[in-house]
Structure formats: structure tokens, C-alpha cells
Amino acid sequence: MTILAGALAALSLLPLGALGHLRISHPSMYGFNVTAQTFSYDNRPEAPLMYLNFDQWWFHGHIGYPPHDSD
């Protein structure tokens, strides 16, 4: 019975690994209105920042794409 309890406890922790890939999207965020063809790299808010230079990871490269005034 303790093996089953341990396995269930371990399985209950699996969804926690996906929490690192969550994002909050809102029209008032920088870069919300850019398209997939605007950048040569993956600039989605949930994309990993590893191996990107400063201009690519700072605001995910969206510093020049502020939200629209109506957003």
C-alpha cells in the first residue's frame, strides 16, 4: 500500500513542471500586436530566453512595439 501511495504522490507533482511555461496575455502588453513574421526568432512571451542576446530577451524584443493607445 505504501508503494501505491508513493506513486500517487509522485504523479500528483507532474503538473507542476508545466507552471514554468505559463504566460499572461493582455492587449496592453508590449508586442501584443506583432505578427509571427516580425522577428526572425521565437518571440512569444512563453518562449525560453536562454541563448538570446540582450536586445532579444529584454521585453522579448518588443520594446519598439508598445501597446496601441486604445488597448
Side-chain angles (χ1 to χ4, degrees):
M1 190 64 160
T2 59
I3 295 174
L4 179 61
L8 288 175
L11 286 174
S12 69
L13 296 175
L14 285 177
L16 296 178
L19 291 177
H21 297 282
L22 295 178
R23 67 181 170 123
I24 298 173
S25 293
H26 190 269
S28 65
M29 66 186 266
Y30 274 69
F32 187 79
N33 299 306
V34 299
T35 63
Q37 292 78 27
T38 305
F39 296 95
S40 60
Y41 58 93
D42 187 1
N43 66 335
R44 297 171 299 150
E46 71 275 5
L49 300 174
M50 190 170 38
Y51 305 119
L52 297 179
N53 63 34
F54 180 80
D55 293 329
Q56 291 174 331
W57 70 255
W58 183 253
F59 279 86
H60 283 269
H62 297 153
I63 195 71
Y65 301 91
H68 291 153
D69 293 333
S70 61
D71 289 342

Short mmCIF file of all heavy atoms in Angstrom, two decimals:
data_model
loop_
_atom_site.label_atom_id
_atom_site.label_comp_id
_atom_site.label_asym_id
_atom_site.label_seq_id
_atom_site.Cartn_x
_atom_site.Cartn_y
_atom_site.Cartn_z
N MET A 1 0.81 -1.20 0.00
CA MET A 1 0.00 0.00 0.00
C MET A 1 0.86 1.27 0.00
O MET A 1 0.48 2.26 -0.58
CB MET A 1 -0.93 -0.03 1.22
CG MET A 1 -1.98 1.04 1.19
SD MET A 1 -3.06 0.76 -0.21
CE MET A 1 -4.45 1.68 0.27
N THR A 2 2.03 1.23 0.65
CA THR A 2 2.88 2.42 0.68
C THR A 2 3.50 2.70 -0.68
O THR A 2 3.77 3.85 -0.99
CB THR A 2 3.99 2.26 1.74
OG1 THR A 2 4.76 1.10 1.43
CG2 THR A 2 3.42 2.17 3.13
N ILE A 3 3.72 1.66 -1.48
CA ILE A 3 4.25 1.88 -2.83
C ILE A 3 3.22 2.62 -3.67
O ILE A 3 3.55 3.55 -4.41
CB ILE A 3 4.65 0.54 -3.48
CG1 ILE A 3 5.82 -0.08 -2.72
CG2 ILE A 3 5.00 0.74 -4.94
CD1 ILE A 3 6.19 -1.46 -3.18
N LEU A 4 1.97 2.23 -3.54
CA LEU A 4 0.89 2.89 -4.27
C LEU A 4 0.76 4.34 -3.84
O LEU A 4 0.60 5.24 -4.67
CB LEU A 4 -0.43 2.15 -4.07
CG LEU A 4 -1.65 2.76 -4.77
CD1 LEU A 4 -1.44 2.78 -6.27
CD2 LEU A 4 -2.90 2.01 -4.40
N ALA A 5 0.85 4.59 -2.55
CA ALA A 5 0.74 5.97 -2.04
C ALA A 5 1.91 6.81 -2.55
O ALA A 5 1.73 7.98 -2.92
CB ALA A 5 0.71 5.96 -0.52
N GLY A 6 3.10 6.25 -2.58
CA GLY A 6 4.26 6.97 -3.10
C GLY A 6 4.13 7.27 -4.58
O GLY A 6 4.49 8.36 -5.04
N ALA A 7 3.61 6.31 -5.33
CA ALA A 7 3.42 6.53 -6.76
C ALA A 7 2.38 7.60 -7.01
O ALA A 7 2.55 8.46 -7.90
CB ALA A 7 3.02 5.22 -7.43
N LEU A 8 1.31 7.58 -6.26
CA LEU A 8 0.27 8.61 -6.41
C LEU A 8 0.80 9.98 -6.03
O LEU A 8 0.48 10.99 -6.67
CB LEU A 8 -0.96 8.26 -5.58
CG LEU A 8 -1.80 7.10 -6.09
CD1 LEU A 8 -2.92 6.77 -5.11
CD2 LEU A 8 -2.35 7.41 -7.47
N ALA A 9 1.62 10.05 -5.00
CA ALA A 9 2.21 11.33 -4.60
C ALA A 9 3.13 11.86 -5.70
O ALA A 9 3.13 13.05 -6.01
CB ALA A 9 2.97 11.17 -3.29
N ALA A 10 3.93 10.98 -6.29
CA ALA A 10 4.82 11.39 -7.37
C ALA A 10 4.04 11.85 -8.60
O ALA A 10 4.39 12.85 -9.23
CB ALA A 10 5.76 10.25 -7.74
N LEU A 11 2.98 11.15 -8.93
CA LEU A 11 2.16 11.53 -10.08
C LEU A 11 1.45 12.86 -9.86
O LEU A 11 1.21 13.61 -10.80
CB LEU A 11 1.15 10.43 -10.40
CG LEU A 11 1.70 9.19 -11.05
CD1 LEU A 11 0.61 8.13 -11.19
CD2 LEU A 11 2.29 9.51 -12.41
N SER A 12 1.12 13.17 -8.62
CA SER A 12 0.43 14.43 -8.35
C SER A 12 1.34 15.63 -8.55
O SER A 12 0.87 16.75 -8.72
CB SER A 12 -0.13 14.43 -6.93
OG SER A 12 0.92 14.48 -5.99
N LEU A 13 2.66 15.43 -8.58
CA LEU A 13 3.60 16.53 -8.77
C LEU A 13 3.91 16.81 -10.24
O LEU A 13 4.50 17.84 -10.56
CB LEU A 13 4.91 16.23 -8.03
CG LEU A 13 4.80 16.13 -6.51
CD1 LEU A 13 6.13 15.72 -5.92
CD2 LEU A 13 4.32 17.43 -5.92
N LEU A 14 3.53 15.93 -11.13
CA LEU A 14 3.85 16.11 -12.55
C LEU A 14 3.31 17.41 -13.15
O LEU A 14 4.02 18.07 -13.90
CB LEU A 14 3.34 14.91 -13.36
CG LEU A 14 4.17 13.63 -13.23
CD1 LEU A 14 3.51 12.52 -14.02
CD2 LEU A 14 5.58 13.85 -13.70
N PRO A 15 2.09 17.83 -12.86
CA PRO A 15 1.60 19.08 -13.47
C PRO A 15 2.38 20.31 -13.05
O PRO A 15 2.35 21.33 -13.74
CB PRO A 15 0.15 19.19 -12.98
CG PRO A 15 -0.23 17.81 -12.60
CD PRO A 15 1.03 17.15 -12.13
N LEU A 16 3.12 20.26 -11.96
CA LEU A 16 3.88 21.43 -11.51
C LEU A 16 4.99 21.81 -12.48
O LEU A 16 5.39 22.97 -12.54
CB LEU A 16 4.46 21.18 -10.12
CG LEU A 16 3.45 21.00 -9.00
CD1 LEU A 16 4.16 20.70 -7.69
CD2 LEU A 16 2.57 22.23 -8.87
N GLY A 17 5.48 20.88 -13.27
CA GLY A 17 6.52 21.18 -14.24
C GLY A 17 6.06 22.10 -15.35
O GLY A 17 6.85 22.82 -15.95
N ALA A 18 4.79 22.13 -15.62
CA ALA A 18 4.26 22.98 -16.68
C ALA A 18 4.06 24.42 -16.23
O ALA A 18 3.83 25.30 -17.05
CB ALA A 18 2.94 22.42 -17.19
N LEU A 19 4.15 24.69 -14.96
CA LEU A 19 3.92 26.06 -14.47
C LEU A 19 4.96 27.04 -14.98
O LEU A 19 4.69 28.24 -15.07
CB LEU A 19 3.89 26.07 -12.94
CG LEU A 19 2.68 25.39 -12.32
CD1 LEU A 19 2.80 25.40 -10.79
CD2 LEU A 19 1.40 26.05 -12.74
N GLY A 20 6.13 26.60 -15.34
CA GLY A 20 7.16 27.48 -15.85
C GLY A 20 6.87 27.99 -17.25
O GLY A 20 7.55 28.90 -17.73
N HIS A 21 5.89 27.46 -17.91
CA HIS A 21 5.58 27.85 -19.27
C HIS A 21 4.27 28.62 -19.37
O HIS A 21 3.71 28.76 -20.45
CB HIS A 21 5.52 26.62 -20.18
CG HIS A 21 6.83 25.92 -20.27
ND1 HIS A 21 7.85 26.37 -21.05
CD2 HIS A 21 7.30 24.83 -19.64
CE1 HIS A 21 8.89 25.57 -20.91
NE2 HIS A 21 8.58 24.63 -20.05
N LEU A 22 3.79 29.13 -18.26
CA LEU A 22 2.56 29.92 -18.27
C LEU A 22 2.88 31.36 -18.64
O LEU A 22 3.98 31.85 -18.43
CB LEU A 22 1.89 29.88 -16.89
CG LEU A 22 1.37 28.53 -16.45
CD1 LEU A 22 0.79 28.65 -15.04
CD2 LEU A 22 0.31 28.02 -17.39
N ARG A 23 1.92 32.05 -19.18
CA ARG A 23 2.10 33.46 -19.50
C ARG A 23 0.79 34.19 -19.30
O ARG A 23 -0.27 33.60 -19.26
CB ARG A 23 2.56 33.63 -20.93
CG ARG A 23 1.48 33.23 -21.93
CD ARG A 23 1.96 33.38 -23.34
NE ARG A 23 1.02 32.77 -24.24
CZ ARG A 23 0.44 33.41 -25.22
NH1 ARG A 23 0.72 34.66 -25.46
NH2 ARG A 23 -0.40 32.80 -26.01
N ILE A 24 0.89 35.48 -19.17
CA ILE A 24 -0.30 36.33 -19.06
C ILE A 24 -0.32 37.18 -20.32
O ILE A 24 0.63 37.88 -20.62
CB ILE A 24 -0.23 37.21 -17.81
CG1 ILE A 24 -0.21 36.34 -16.56
CG2 ILE A 24 -1.39 38.18 -17.78
CD1 ILE A 24 0.03 37.09 -15.29
N SER A 25 -1.39 37.11 -21.07
CA SER A 25 -1.52 37.91 -22.28
C SER A 25 -2.64 38.91 -22.11
O SER A 25 -3.72 38.58 -21.62
CB SER A 25 -1.85 37.01 -23.48
OG SER A 25 -0.76 36.19 -23.77
N HIS A 26 -2.36 40.12 -22.50
CA HIS A 26 -3.36 41.19 -22.44
C HIS A 26 -3.02 42.18 -23.55
O HIS A 26 -1.85 42.40 -23.85
CB HIS A 26 -3.31 41.88 -21.07
CG HIS A 26 -4.45 42.81 -20.87
ND1 HIS A 26 -4.37 44.14 -21.21
CD2 HIS A 26 -5.69 42.60 -20.37
CE1 HIS A 26 -5.52 44.72 -20.93
NE2 HIS A 26 -6.34 43.81 -20.42
N PRO A 27 -4.00 42.78 -24.19
CA PRO A 27 -3.72 43.73 -25.27
C PRO A 27 -2.84 44.90 -24.86
O PRO A 27 -2.24 45.55 -25.70
CB PRO A 27 -5.11 44.21 -25.69
CG PRO A 27 -6.03 43.13 -25.29
CD PRO A 27 -5.44 42.52 -24.05
N SER A 28 -2.71 45.19 -23.57
CA SER A 28 -1.90 46.33 -23.14
C SER A 28 -0.42 45.97 -22.96
O SER A 28 0.37 46.82 -22.58
CB SER A 28 -2.45 46.88 -21.82
OG SER A 28 -2.31 45.93 -20.79
N MET A 29 -0.01 44.74 -23.27
CA MET A 29 1.39 44.38 -23.13
C MET A 29 2.18 44.73 -24.39
O MET A 29 1.62 44.79 -25.49
CB MET A 29 1.55 42.90 -22.79
CG MET A 29 1.11 41.94 -23.86
SD MET A 29 1.18 40.23 -23.34
CE MET A 29 2.78 39.77 -23.91
N TYR A 30 3.45 44.99 -24.20
CA TYR A 30 4.31 45.29 -25.34
C TYR A 30 4.38 44.09 -26.27
O TYR A 30 4.48 42.96 -25.82
CB TYR A 30 5.73 45.63 -24.87
CG TYR A 30 5.92 47.07 -24.49
CD1 TYR A 30 5.32 47.60 -23.37
CD2 TYR A 30 6.68 47.90 -25.28
CE1 TYR A 30 5.48 48.92 -23.03
CE2 TYR A 30 6.87 49.23 -24.95
CZ TYR A 30 6.26 49.74 -23.82
OH TYR A 30 6.43 51.04 -23.50
N GLY A 31 4.32 44.33 -27.58
CA GLY A 31 4.45 43.28 -28.56
C GLY A 31 3.20 42.45 -28.78
O GLY A 31 3.24 41.48 -29.51
N PHE A 32 2.08 42.82 -28.17
CA PHE A 32 0.87 42.03 -28.32
C PHE A 32 0.36 42.06 -29.76
O PHE A 32 -0.25 41.11 -30.22
CB PHE A 32 -0.22 42.55 -27.37
CG PHE A 32 -1.45 41.69 -27.33
CD1 PHE A 32 -1.47 40.53 -26.58
CD2 PHE A 32 -2.59 42.03 -28.03
CE1 PHE A 32 -2.59 39.72 -26.54
CE2 PHE A 32 -3.72 41.25 -28.00
CZ PHE A 32 -3.71 40.09 -27.25
N ASN A 33 0.63 43.13 -30.47
CA ASN A 33 0.08 43.32 -31.80
C ASN A 33 1.05 42.98 -32.93
O ASN A 33 0.78 43.29 -34.08
CB ASN A 33 -0.40 44.77 -31.96
CG ASN A 33 -1.48 45.09 -30.95
OD1 ASN A 33 -2.47 44.40 -30.86
ND2 ASN A 33 -1.28 46.14 -30.18
N VAL A 34 2.19 42.34 -32.61
CA VAL A 34 3.11 41.95 -33.68
C VAL A 34 2.69 40.60 -34.25
O VAL A 34 1.96 39.85 -33.61
CB VAL A 34 4.58 41.89 -33.19
CG1 VAL A 34 5.05 43.22 -32.69
CG2 VAL A 34 4.75 40.83 -32.13
N THR A 35 3.16 40.30 -35.44
CA THR A 35 2.82 39.02 -36.07
C THR A 35 4.01 38.07 -35.98
O THR A 35 5.12 38.46 -35.60
CB THR A 35 2.45 39.22 -37.55
OG1 THR A 35 3.60 39.72 -38.24
CG2 THR A 35 1.31 40.20 -37.70
N ALA A 36 3.82 36.84 -36.36
CA ALA A 36 4.89 35.84 -36.31
C ALA A 36 6.01 36.17 -37.31
O ALA A 36 7.12 35.71 -37.15
CB ALA A 36 4.32 34.46 -36.59
N GLN A 37 5.73 36.94 -38.32
CA GLN A 37 6.73 37.26 -39.33
C GLN A 37 7.56 38.49 -38.98
O GLN A 37 8.47 38.86 -39.71
CB GLN A 37 6.07 37.48 -40.69
CG GLN A 37 5.45 36.25 -41.30
CD GLN A 37 4.11 35.88 -40.68
OE1 GLN A 37 3.40 36.72 -40.18
NE2 GLN A 37 3.77 34.60 -40.70
N THR A 38 7.29 39.15 -37.86
CA THR A 38 8.00 40.38 -37.50
C THR A 38 9.44 40.10 -37.08
O THR A 38 10.33 40.89 -37.35
CB THR A 38 7.26 41.10 -36.35
OG1 THR A 38 5.91 41.32 -36.75
CG2 THR A 38 7.89 42.43 -36.04
N PHE A 39 9.70 38.97 -36.43
CA PHE A 39 11.03 38.65 -35.91
C PHE A 39 11.55 37.36 -36.52
O PHE A 39 10.78 36.49 -36.91
CB PHE A 39 10.96 38.49 -34.38
CG PHE A 39 10.58 39.75 -33.67
CD1 PHE A 39 9.26 39.98 -33.31
CD2 PHE A 39 11.53 40.70 -33.35
CE1 PHE A 39 8.89 41.14 -32.66
CE2 PHE A 39 11.17 41.86 -32.69
CZ PHE A 39 9.86 42.09 -32.34
N SER A 40 12.87 37.25 -36.57
CA SER A 40 13.48 36.04 -37.12
C SER A 40 13.66 34.94 -36.06
O SER A 40 14.13 33.86 -36.37
CB SER A 40 14.85 36.37 -37.71
OG SER A 40 15.69 36.89 -36.69
N TYR A 41 13.28 35.23 -34.81
CA TYR A 41 13.39 34.26 -33.73
C TYR A 41 12.04 34.14 -33.04
O TYR A 41 11.15 34.96 -33.27
CB TYR A 41 14.48 34.66 -32.74
CG TYR A 41 14.27 36.03 -32.13
CD1 TYR A 41 13.61 36.19 -30.93
CD2 TYR A 41 14.74 37.17 -32.77
CE1 TYR A 41 13.40 37.44 -30.38
CE2 TYR A 41 14.53 38.42 -32.23
CZ TYR A 41 13.86 38.55 -31.03
OH TYR A 41 13.66 39.79 -30.50
N ASP A 42 11.90 33.14 -32.20
CA ASP A 42 10.65 32.91 -31.50
C ASP A 42 10.51 33.96 -30.39
O ASP A 42 11.23 33.93 -29.41
CB ASP A 42 10.64 31.50 -30.90
CG ASP A 42 9.32 31.12 -30.30
OD1 ASP A 42 8.37 31.93 -30.35
OD2 ASP A 42 9.21 30.00 -29.77
N ASN A 43 9.60 34.89 -30.54
CA ASN A 43 9.47 35.99 -29.58
C ASN A 43 8.18 35.92 -28.77
O ASN A 43 7.77 36.91 -28.19
CB ASN A 43 9.54 37.32 -30.31
CG ASN A 43 8.35 37.53 -31.23
OD1 ASN A 43 7.74 36.57 -31.67
ND2 ASN A 43 8.02 38.76 -31.52
N ARG A 44 7.55 34.75 -28.72
CA ARG A 44 6.34 34.61 -27.92
C ARG A 44 6.66 34.82 -26.45
O ARG A 44 7.77 34.51 -26.01
CB ARG A 44 5.73 33.23 -28.13
CG ARG A 44 5.27 32.98 -29.56
CD ARG A 44 4.88 31.52 -29.76
NE ARG A 44 6.06 30.69 -29.50
CZ ARG A 44 5.99 29.47 -29.03
NH1 ARG A 44 4.84 28.91 -28.73
NH2 ARG A 44 7.09 28.76 -28.82
N PRO A 45 5.73 35.34 -25.66
CA PRO A 45 6.01 35.59 -24.24
C PRO A 45 6.41 34.35 -23.46
O PRO A 45 7.14 34.45 -22.48
CB PRO A 45 4.70 36.16 -23.71
CG PRO A 45 4.00 36.70 -24.90
CD PRO A 45 4.41 35.84 -26.05
N GLU A 46 5.97 33.17 -23.88
CA GLU A 46 6.31 31.97 -23.13
C GLU A 46 7.56 31.26 -23.65
O GLU A 46 7.95 30.23 -23.13
CB GLU A 46 5.13 30.98 -23.14
CG GLU A 46 4.88 30.32 -24.47
CD GLU A 46 4.01 31.12 -25.41
OE1 GLU A 46 3.65 32.26 -25.11
OE2 GLU A 46 3.69 30.59 -26.47
N ALA A 47 8.19 31.81 -24.68
CA ALA A 47 9.38 31.18 -25.26
C ALA A 47 10.57 31.34 -24.30
O ALA A 47 10.73 32.37 -23.65
CB ALA A 47 9.72 31.83 -26.60
N PRO A 48 11.42 30.31 -24.18
CA PRO A 48 12.59 30.41 -23.30
C PRO A 48 13.54 31.52 -23.74
O PRO A 48 13.69 31.80 -24.93
CB PRO A 48 13.26 29.04 -23.45
CG PRO A 48 12.23 28.15 -24.02
CD PRO A 48 11.30 29.01 -24.81
N LEU A 49 14.17 32.16 -22.78
CA LEU A 49 15.07 33.28 -23.06
C LEU A 49 16.53 32.86 -23.13
O LEU A 49 17.40 33.69 -23.40
CB LEU A 49 14.91 34.34 -21.96
CG LEU A 49 13.51 34.92 -21.84
CD1 LEU A 49 13.43 35.84 -20.63
CD2 LEU A 49 13.11 35.65 -23.09
N MET A 50 16.80 31.58 -22.92
CA MET A 50 18.16 31.09 -22.91
C MET A 50 18.79 31.27 -24.30
O MET A 50 18.14 31.07 -25.33
CB MET A 50 18.15 29.60 -22.54
CG MET A 50 19.50 29.02 -22.28
SD MET A 50 19.45 27.36 -21.56
CE MET A 50 18.12 26.57 -22.37
N TYR A 51 20.03 31.67 -24.32
CA TYR A 51 20.84 31.85 -25.54
C TYR A 51 20.43 33.06 -26.38
O TYR A 51 20.88 33.19 -27.51
CB TYR A 51 20.86 30.60 -26.41
CG TYR A 51 21.31 29.37 -25.69
CD1 TYR A 51 20.47 28.28 -25.57
CD2 TYR A 51 22.56 29.30 -25.10
CE1 TYR A 51 20.87 27.15 -24.88
CE2 TYR A 51 22.97 28.17 -24.41
CZ TYR A 51 22.12 27.10 -24.32
OH TYR A 51 22.51 25.99 -23.64
N LEU A 52 19.58 33.94 -25.87
CA LEU A 52 19.24 35.15 -26.61
C LEU A 52 20.14 36.28 -26.14
O LEU A 52 20.54 36.34 -24.98
CB LEU A 52 17.77 35.54 -26.37
CG LEU A 52 16.72 34.55 -26.86
CD1 LEU A 52 15.33 35.07 -26.54
CD2 LEU A 52 16.85 34.28 -28.34
N ASN A 53 20.47 37.20 -27.05
CA ASN A 53 21.26 38.35 -26.62
C ASN A 53 20.35 39.35 -25.90
O ASN A 53 19.14 39.17 -25.81
CB ASN A 53 21.98 38.98 -27.82
CG ASN A 53 21.02 39.54 -28.85
OD1 ASN A 53 19.96 40.04 -28.54
ND2 ASN A 53 21.42 39.47 -30.10
N PHE A 54 20.94 40.41 -25.38
CA PHE A 54 20.18 41.36 -24.55
C PHE A 54 19.00 41.95 -25.30
O PHE A 54 17.89 42.04 -24.76
CB PHE A 54 21.10 42.48 -24.06
CG PHE A 54 20.40 43.49 -23.20
CD1 PHE A 54 20.16 43.22 -21.87
CD2 PHE A 54 19.96 44.69 -23.73
CE1 PHE A 54 19.50 44.14 -21.07
CE2 PHE A 54 19.30 45.61 -22.95
CZ PHE A 54 19.07 45.34 -21.61
N ASP A 55 19.20 42.39 -26.53
CA ASP A 55 18.10 43.01 -27.29
C ASP A 55 16.97 42.04 -27.58
O ASP A 55 15.83 42.46 -27.74
CB ASP A 55 18.62 43.59 -28.60
CG ASP A 55 19.55 44.77 -28.38
OD1 ASP A 55 19.36 45.48 -27.38
OD2 ASP A 55 20.46 44.96 -29.20
N GLN A 56 17.26 40.76 -27.65
CA GLN A 56 16.22 39.78 -27.91
C GLN A 56 15.45 39.39 -26.65
O GLN A 56 14.26 39.16 -26.71
CB GLN A 56 16.82 38.52 -28.56
CG GLN A 56 17.30 38.75 -29.96
CD GLN A 56 18.03 37.55 -30.51
OE1 GLN A 56 18.63 36.77 -29.78
NE2 GLN A 56 17.98 37.38 -31.83
N TRP A 57 16.13 39.32 -25.50
CA TRP A 57 15.39 38.90 -24.30
C TRP A 57 14.77 40.06 -23.55
O TRP A 57 13.78 39.90 -22.87
CB TRP A 57 16.21 38.01 -23.39
CG TRP A 57 17.35 38.61 -22.63
CD1 TRP A 57 18.66 38.45 -22.92
CD2 TRP A 57 17.30 39.40 -21.43
NE1 TRP A 57 19.43 39.12 -21.99
CE2 TRP A 57 18.61 39.70 -21.06
CE3 TRP A 57 16.27 39.89 -20.63
CZ2 TRP A 57 18.93 40.47 -19.95
CZ3 TRP A 57 16.58 40.65 -19.52
CH2 TRP A 57 17.90 40.93 -19.19
N TRP A 58 15.31 41.27 -23.64
CA TRP A 58 14.73 42.41 -22.95
C TRP A 58 13.39 42.74 -23.61
O TRP A 58 13.34 43.07 -24.78
CB TRP A 58 15.67 43.60 -23.00
CG TRP A 58 15.18 44.79 -22.25
CD1 TRP A 58 14.70 45.93 -22.79
CD2 TRP A 58 15.13 44.96 -20.83
NE1 TRP A 58 14.35 46.81 -21.81
CE2 TRP A 58 14.59 46.23 -20.58
CE3 TRP A 58 15.47 44.16 -19.76
CZ2 TRP A 58 14.40 46.73 -19.29
CZ3 TRP A 58 15.27 44.65 -18.49
CH2 TRP A 58 14.75 45.91 -18.27
N PHE A 59 12.31 42.59 -22.90
CA PHE A 59 10.94 42.75 -23.41
C PHE A 59 10.67 41.79 -24.56
O PHE A 59 9.82 42.05 -25.40
CB PHE A 59 10.68 44.19 -23.87
CG PHE A 59 10.33 45.13 -22.77
CD1 PHE A 59 11.31 45.78 -22.04
CD2 PHE A 59 9.01 45.39 -22.46
CE1 PHE A 59 10.99 46.65 -21.04
CE2 PHE A 59 8.68 46.27 -21.45
CZ PHE A 59 9.68 46.90 -20.73
N HIS A 60 11.44 40.70 -24.65
CA HIS A 60 11.33 39.74 -25.76
C HIS A 60 11.51 40.42 -27.11
O HIS A 60 10.97 39.99 -28.12
CB HIS A 60 9.99 39.00 -25.72
CG HIS A 60 9.93 37.94 -24.69
ND1 HIS A 60 10.29 36.65 -24.95
CD2 HIS A 60 9.57 37.97 -23.40
CE1 HIS A 60 10.13 35.92 -23.86
NE2 HIS A 60 9.71 36.70 -22.89
N GLY A 61 12.25 41.53 -27.14
CA GLY A 61 12.46 42.28 -28.38
C GLY A 61 11.30 43.18 -28.74
O GLY A 61 11.28 43.75 -29.83
N HIS A 62 10.34 43.35 -27.86
CA HIS A 62 9.14 44.12 -28.15
C HIS A 62 9.21 45.57 -27.68
O HIS A 62 8.20 46.26 -27.70
CB HIS A 62 7.92 43.48 -27.48
CG HIS A 62 7.61 42.12 -27.99
ND1 HIS A 62 6.96 41.18 -27.23
CD2 HIS A 62 7.87 41.51 -29.17
CE1 HIS A 62 6.82 40.06 -27.91
NE2 HIS A 62 7.38 40.24 -29.09
N ILE A 63 10.36 46.04 -27.25
CA ILE A 63 10.46 47.39 -26.70
C ILE A 63 10.04 48.45 -27.72
O ILE A 63 9.52 49.49 -27.36
CB ILE A 63 11.88 47.65 -26.14
CG1 ILE A 63 11.90 48.88 -25.25
CG2 ILE A 63 12.89 47.77 -27.25
CD1 ILE A 63 11.20 48.70 -23.95
N GLY A 64 10.20 48.17 -28.99
CA GLY A 64 9.79 49.11 -30.03
C GLY A 64 8.36 48.93 -30.48
O GLY A 64 7.93 49.59 -31.43
N TYR A 65 7.61 48.05 -29.82
CA TYR A 65 6.24 47.76 -30.20
C TYR A 65 5.31 47.96 -29.00
O TYR A 65 4.77 47.01 -28.45
CB TYR A 65 6.11 46.32 -30.72
CG TYR A 65 6.99 46.06 -31.91
CD1 TYR A 65 8.28 45.58 -31.76
CD2 TYR A 65 6.52 46.31 -33.19
CE1 TYR A 65 9.10 45.35 -32.85
CE2 TYR A 65 7.33 46.09 -34.29
CZ TYR A 65 8.61 45.61 -34.11
OH TYR A 65 9.41 45.40 -35.19
N PRO A 66 5.11 49.22 -28.58
CA PRO A 66 4.25 49.48 -27.42
C PRO A 66 2.79 49.16 -27.74
O PRO A 66 2.42 49.02 -28.90
CB PRO A 66 4.44 50.97 -27.16
CG PRO A 66 4.84 51.54 -28.48
CD PRO A 66 5.61 50.46 -29.17
N PRO A 67 1.97 49.03 -26.71
CA PRO A 67 0.55 48.76 -26.95
C PRO A 67 -0.11 49.94 -27.67
O PRO A 67 0.32 51.08 -27.57
CB PRO A 67 -0.03 48.56 -25.56
CG PRO A 67 1.00 49.02 -24.60
CD PRO A 67 2.29 49.08 -25.30
N HIS A 68 -1.16 49.64 -28.40
CA HIS A 68 -1.93 50.70 -29.04
C HIS A 68 -2.59 51.57 -27.99
O HIS A 68 -2.88 51.12 -26.88
CB HIS A 68 -2.99 50.11 -29.96
CG HIS A 68 -2.42 49.45 -31.17
ND1 HIS A 68 -3.08 48.45 -31.81
CD2 HIS A 68 -1.28 49.64 -31.85
CE1 HIS A 68 -2.37 48.03 -32.84
NE2 HIS A 68 -1.28 48.74 -32.88
N ASP A 69 -2.83 52.82 -28.32
CA ASP A 69 -3.46 53.75 -27.37
C ASP A 69 -4.84 53.26 -26.92
O ASP A 69 -5.27 53.55 -25.81
CB ASP A 69 -3.58 55.14 -27.99
CG ASP A 69 -2.21 55.79 -28.19
OD1 ASP A 69 -1.29 55.43 -27.43
OD2 ASP A 69 -2.10 56.63 -29.09
N SER A 70 -5.53 52.54 -27.79
CA SER A 70 -6.88 52.09 -27.44
C SER A 70 -6.89 50.79 -26.62
O SER A 70 -7.93 50.37 -26.16
CB SER A 70 -7.70 51.87 -28.71
OG SER A 70 -7.09 50.89 -29.50
N ASP A 71 -5.72 50.16 -26.45
CA ASP A 71 -5.66 48.90 -25.69
C ASP A 71 -5.51 49.14 -24.20
O ASP A 71 -4.96 50.05 -23.74
CB ASP A 71 -4.51 48.03 -26.18
CG ASP A 71 -4.79 47.47 -27.55
OD1 ASP A 71 -5.94 47.46 -27.96
OD2 ASP A 71 -3.81 47.06 -28.20
#
